Amino acid sequence: MKTNLLTIYFLLSAVMALGQQRHKDLPFTQDYAIKYEGNGDYKTMAFDRNGHVQVLSSDGLQRLSPGQLLVPGKIVEDNLYRFMKDKNIVDMLQVENQLVYLDKEVVFSNAWAGKLYMPHQITQPRGFLAVNKSEYLVFNAKQLNQIKDNKMLRSVQSPAEIVEVHAQGQQGFYILTTAGVLALNSTGNILKPVYNKTGLQSMAVHQGKLVLAHAEEGLIFLNNQFKQERVLSKLPSLKLNKVRSIDQQLWVGSKEGAFKVFANGKINYYASKRWLNQDEVIDLKKGPGSSVFVLNKGGLSQLVFEDMTLAKKADFYEKQVRARHIRNGFNANLFGMKNGDISTGFLADSDNDGLWTTMYLASQAFRYAVTKSPDALQNTRESLDAMERLYSINPVKGFPARTFERTGHRDQLGDPEHWQKAPAKDWDWKATTSSDEAIGHAFAFGVIAEVVDVPELKQQAIRLLDSMMTHIVENDMYLVDFDGKPTLWGKWNPAYVNGFSKNIGDRKLNSSNIIGMLQTAYHFTKKPMYKDKIMELFNKHGYLENLMRPMSEIGKADAQADDLSQLLSVYWNHSDDEMYFLGYWGLYRYALTNELKQQYKAAILDHYEAEKPEKDAVWNIMTAMTGTSDFGLADAVWYLQEYPLDLIQWTIKNSNRKDIELLDKNFRNQYTKTVLPPDELKISRHNSNRFNMDGGHDGAAENSAGDIWLLPYWMGKYLKVIE
């Protein structure tokens, strides 16, 4: 009995797939910010064992109104202890999980039945340090008094103005002054200079050593002999004002945000309104649990570090999408928000409603295939119905509208001149559908037809796919609009495609996309016209050669090239990457022959090599489909883990950072040697350049996680590279 060669191929592919790396979904640290808005002259903050957080301002003690991720709280007047208003409080600390205060005359607390009340005998005090709940070191500009159980242990004069005081374990204290660092042992009144330097802003005792924040040089690390061990100047900002050791981690505050510095040199940067109300940091302290408080000019941020799995993160994003990102079944963004307030936004149409929805739709199809979740199935139904209406709401057979919306004020719609009145009352539809819409449709319809074991949904997807592809084939490989003319970008005709020089990306892209689309249609309908068209494009028009062209040959148009070629090759188009990789699903999985499949695999791997630096989860996980062992799993997981829970389009600025290595100008617009983590970049979809350092919209919109995150996650689950 002969064994079918295709069967052998698939068996071998399955064996190869077993050799692929898989990510076991263990908990990782997910960070996010709970912000509390305020407008005061803030000094410091602390909290007690009851979770009561206080902020000290020039107006006295204040507290926090409730806040949560994406819903900021506020800093308000603290009236819990009404007679505290009579106190002129200078500083406060957490001591043995209780709040202790320093005012102009005494150290006192409301804890321990209010018994702590010790005069410090120092004029114009600036701050204090707790040795324990009954012993304190209080200082002003030049004097330090150590008191214990209402007794003065010693009083010491400093030769220079005191900035900060820190404990030296059990050995004594370090005093940071405007002239350098002094040491004060546990007994005696002698201040010993240990490091002389002006311009020091702050100091921390970190892992037994001193770390100093300098106004111009950065972080100065001293060894146990107080000798300069190293200077770290490659920091996001050199405008440093605080350095603290919190839970064995080194934290730095600056006028341009806060950052955590790891022993290996890695830096986590927290700036912009994603993390802080304003970037100028006033103070840093440990918060409840594993959180960190960052007091800033605009209020207080609690940076929360929570153990989370990708599965738990997916659940968070699933709820985000359904709560405020579904418009008539479409996967939509929230627009018109005021300063990041999600309650002020509205769902708006987009040129690419169809594309963004196909990516979310595919994610839910994969989710259903993996989990059999009724919720995922219902999400698939609703979005597939929205996609179907794109075809039925306009009068052109087989032509998908870009989107549709209720009839309203045209000036409130994006691109109003391309909106058309629908035959259905009270509805308009948008014309000029482009190639990126079409490839998204073919991708999602193919995914549903393959992975969703619900006959009516399979047939619905196949019917829509067949309708669009029939339209394209019968219209000479064009998307033909209501006016009888091809749309601007819906063109796969050989005269158009091969009209570009071989180094112009659209020649390769359009060839790759249309072959994948035709293969998908043929695979599920078995209509000969689709296969015949593929062979015609291969044999007569060189589309196989086009799509196999190495990425290294794609570049700028020659000086004598036409205007369109010049326009399309000013720089690398990341929307093209999105179209390529969505198209690879149909190109590879539904290849007509095993020989073609191997050629397609080579093209995909060649493209992946060019995209490696971006660490984009969609590119990497789609590449895993080929069975290759090298598809950047670690980078894909990094992307999924590092993407922020806050998807608001805050304005982000990284171009002023001193810790990133810039590259010379290049065709791909890769500005930095290493791509920054997603939570340090502006929120963007997969069609954007992930090397853009700046951007955003001041909290005016929120992206949906449906296309950005849920697609790569659930595709990774379906392909079994994420366990």
Side-chain angles (χ1 to χ4, degrees):
M1 176 179 173
K2 283 190 175 180
T3 305
N4 184 285
L5 289 177
L6 193 59
T7 302
I8 292 175
Y9 170 76
F10 279 118
L11 288 171
L12 289 173
S13 295
V15 171
M16 289 174 62
L18 290 174
Q20 283 187 313
Q21 288 182 308
R22 296 185 182 186
H23 171 70
K24 189 172 183 180
D25 192 14
L26 299 173
F28 61 93
T29 301
Q30 176 67 57
D31 45 4
Y32 60 89
I34 301 175
K35 293 176 289 186
Y36 300 89
E37 299 169 341
N39 183 24
D41 181 18
Y42 301 123
K43 309 295 184 183
T44 189
M45 66 291 185
F47 71 98
D48 66 14
R49 63 183 295 271
N50 301 315
H52 180 51
V53 181
Q54 287 187 315
V55 177
L56 177 61
S57 79
S58 57
D59 296 325
L61 291 174
Q62 301 187 326
R63 62 182 179 87
L64 307 181
S65 70
Q68 58 184 306
L69 173 62
L70 302 178
V71 184
K74 294 188 180 297
I75 299 178
V76 298
E77 186 178 10
D78 191 340
N79 294 315
L80 291 180
Y81 282 86
R82 52 184 173 161
F83 295 112
M84 292 291 284
K85 293 180 180 180
D86 298 333
K87 297 293 185 181
N88 193 339
I89 297 173
V90 176
D91 197 5
M92 63 179 178
L93 298 172
Q94 184 194 74
V95 181
E96 296 185 13
N97 294 318
Q98 302 288 3
L99 291 169
V100 177
Y101 307 96
L102 170 71
D103 78 357
K104 288 192 173 183
E105 297 180 349
V106 299
V107 173
F108 73 101
S109 177
N110 295 315
W112 307 297
K115 290 186 291 185
L116 176 60
Y117 189 90
M118 285 195 290
H120 50 66
Q121 302 178 37
I122 199 165
T123 58
Q124 296 182 324
R126 290 188 174 184
F128 71 138
L129 175 70
V131 179
N132 52 58
K133 74 175 183 179
S134 59
E135 184 176 354
Y136 297 87
L137 190 70
V138 183
F139 64 91
N140 61 14
K142 288 290 188 74
Q143 182 180 351
L144 301 104
N145 285 359
Q146 187 169 356
I147 56 177
K148 181 178 181 181
D149 295 328
N150 290 312
K151 296 179 181 179
M152 177 72 67
L153 297 183
R154 55 180 165 171
S155 182
V156 183
Q157 293 293 318
S158 170
E161 184 178 346
I162 299 170
V163 179
E164 292 179 355
V165 177
H166 293 270
Q168 185 187 354
Q170 301 296 320
Q171 309 304 313
F173 307 95
Y174 292 121
I175 294 89
L176 178 67
T177 73
T178 53
V181 182
L182 307 173
L184 178 65
N185 62 23
S186 56
T187 60
N189 296 331
I190 298 175
L191 290 171
K192 178 184 177 183
V194 295
Y195 185 77
N196 296 322
K197 194 176 188 68
T198 60
L200 298 174
Q201 304 297 305
S202 185
M203 172 177 64
V205 181
H206 182 62
Q207 297 179 352
K209 298 182 180 181
L210 280 180
V211 183
L212 309 172
H214 192 272
E216 298 175 353
E217 298 178 16
L219 293 177
I220 300 172
F221 294 79
L222 303 184
N223 63 21
N224 293 330
Q225 286 73 47
F226 306 107
K227 301 296 184 182
Q228 187 171 297
E229 197 171 64
R230 64 187 176 107
V231 177
L232 183 59
S233 57
K234 289 185 176 181
L235 299 168
S237 172
L238 291 179
K239 299 176 181 179
L240 310 183
N241 50 31
K242 291 290 178 183
V243 58
R244 295 288 182 260
S245 182
I246 302 173
D247 289 336
Q248 300 300 309
Q249 296 176 322
L250 190 62
W251 280 88
V252 184
S254 77
K255 292 184 178 180
E256 298 171 317
F259 37 97
K260 182 166 53 173
V261 181
F262 294 86
N264 62 3
K266 179 178 177 291
I267 291 173
N268 284 2
Y269 186 36
Y270 300 93
S272 82
K273 289 190 176 180
R274 178 179 298 153
W275 303 105
L276 311 176
N277 294 299
Q278 289 186 26
D279 283 347
E280 185 171 350
V281 175
I282 297 169
D283 201 4
L284 294 156
K285 282 187 179 178
K286 176 178 171 55
S290 59
S291 70
V292 172
F293 280 135
V294 183
L295 189 64
N296 55 79
K297 287 285 187 177
L300 178 70
S301 286
Q302 183 181 1
L303 303 183
V304 179
F305 300 89
E306 179 180 324
D307 284 346
M308 185 175 286
T309 61
L310 291 179
K312 185 176 179 182
K313 192 168 183 176
D315 185 57
F316 174 89
Y317 283 141
E318 294 286 356
K319 292 173 183 175
Q320 183 247 23
V321 175
R322 301 313 298 185
R324 53 185 181 274
H325 290 285
I326 298 298
R327 183 186 71 84
N328 300 130
F330 291 124
N331 174 46
N333 281 358
L334 205 61
F335 289 95
M337 291 163 45
K338 296 178 177 61
N339 195 32
D341 184 349
I342 56 176
S343 68
T344 62
F346 59 82
L347 291 169
D349 63 275
S350 161
D351 258 10
N352 296 111
D353 273 344
L355 174 61
W356 310 137
T357 302
T358 60
M359 297 172 79
Y360 172 63
L361 182 53
S363 82
Q364 296 307 290
F366 288 132
R367 179 186 170 204
Y368 174 72
V370 171
T371 67
K372 299 304 178 187
S373 161
D375 181 60
L377 183 61
Q378 183 60 24
N379 295 344
T380 302
R381 288 184 190 278
E382 292 179 12
S383 288
L384 186 57
D385 285 345
M387 296 299 297
E388 180 164 24
R389 198 172 186 214
L390 291 174
Y391 292 81
S392 62
I393 200 168
N394 77 83
V396 184
K397 185 178 180 182
F399 180 86
R402 280 187 178 274
T403 187
F404 54 79
E405 183 57 282
R406 291 192 183 277
T407 300
H409 296 290
R410 288 289 175 87
D411 59 354
Q412 293 181 10
L413 297 173
D415 197 16
E417 66 272 21
H418 291 127
W419 284 88
Q420 307 298 317
K421 192 73 188 77
K425 186 179 180 181
D426 198 32
W427 289 96
D428 293 343
W429 66 278
K430 193 170 188 182
T432 71
T433 305
S434 64
S435 53
D436 50 356
E437 296 289 299
I439 192 61
H441 288 222
F443 165 63
F445 297 154
V447 167
I448 293 169
E450 178 180 349
V451 311
V452 178
D453 58 358
V454 179
E456 64 268 25
L457 291 184
K458 282 180 176 288
Q459 292 308 311
Q460 185 180 6
I462 293 169
R463 184 177 70 251
L464 294 173
L465 172 67
D466 187 33
S467 175
M468 179 180 71
M469 296 310 300
T470 298
H471 171 98
I472 291 171
V473 172
E474 291 182 348
N475 284 284
D476 202 18
M477 308 309 292
Y478 291 109
L479 272 179
V480 175
D481 216 330
F482 70 98
D483 57 4
K485 299 177 182 179
T487 64
L488 179 61
W489 302 113
K491 300 174 181 178
W492 302 273
N493 181 279
Y496 174 80
V497 172
N498 289 334
F500 293 111
S501 299
K502 292 182 178 180
N503 67 318
I504 303 301
D506 278 44
R507 179 164 177 160
K508 174 180 170 70
L509 171 65
N510 286 28
S511 298
S512 178
N513 275 185
I514 194 60
I515 296 302
M517 292 159 68
L518 289 166
Q519 285 184 167
T520 304
Y522 177 70
H523 182 84
F524 291 108
T525 69
K526 294 298 184 280
K527 290 185 176 180
M529 69 171 178
Y530 296 130
K531 184 176 181 180
D532 293 345
K533 182 56 67 174
I534 293 168
M535 301 316 297
E536 176 191 332
L537 294 175
F538 278 170
N539 297 329
K540 293 185 179 181
H541 303 291
Y543 275 37
L544 181 58
E545 178 188 350
N546 288 345
L547 70 87
M548 291 298 299
R549 185 158 291 111
M551 280 293 172
S552 60
E553 296 181 15
I554 304 302
K556 290 188 175 183
D558 299 330
Q560 65 272 20
D562 61 274
D563 291 344
L564 182 58
S565 295
Q566 297 284 358
L567 174 68
L568 292 173
S569 61
V570 173
Y571 49 79
W572 188 260
N573 189 331
H574 294 269
S575 286
D576 290 356
D577 291 327
E578 184 174 71
M579 294 170 65
Y580 274 117
F581 278 93
L582 293 185
Y584 288 156
W585 184 267
L587 186 71
Y588 179 79
R589 293 183 81 85
Y590 313 132
L592 296 181
T593 66
N594 181 45
E595 181 182 2
L596 282 173
K597 197 164 199 172
Q598 293 308 306
Q599 289 179 283
Y600 298 155
K601 178 178 178 177
I604 294 169
L605 295 182
D606 173 69
H607 191 177
Y608 163 69
E609 286 297 321
E611 298 302 328
K612 262 186 179 181
E614 290 193 9
K615 300 183 180 181
D616 187 290
V618 169
W619 313 161
N620 295 19
I621 291 174
M622 188 70 81
T623 302
M625 167 186 63
T626 66
T628 181
S629 59
D630 179 16
F631 61 92
L633 176 61
D635 289 342
V637 171
W638 173 83
Y639 172 101
L640 294 171
Q641 291 181 345
E642 291 287 330
Y643 222 92
L645 297 181
D646 180 348
L647 299 186
I648 293 172
Q649 293 182 14
W650 298 113
T651 297
I652 305 293
K653 185 176 182 181
N654 288 293
S655 56
N656 59 332
R657 291 173 62 167
K658 308 297 187 293
D659 63 323
I660 54 180
E661 186 174 346
L662 301 178
L663 298 181
D664 293 334
K665 188 176 180 180
N666 54 78
F667 177 61
R668 294 186 66 87
N669 279 350
Q670 182 177 338
Y671 303 111
T672 59
K673 183 176 181 180
T674 304
V675 68
L676 292 171
D679 62 356
E680 295 178 15
L681 296 170
K682 70 183 184 72
I683 297 299
S684 59
R685 288 179 157 120
H686 299 285
N687 64 337
S688 296
N689 180 6
R690 298 200 57 244
F691 287 94
N692 282 333
M693 292 182 284
D694 303 335
H697 296 93
D698 294 323
E702 183 191 49
N703 279 73
S704 166
D707 50 281
I708 290 176
W709 199 93
L710 292 176
L711 173 60
Y713 172 74
W714 286 113
M715 181 164 57
K717 293 282 286 184
Y718 178 76
L719 294 174
K720 297 183 179 180
V721 295
I722 299 174
E723 292 182 353

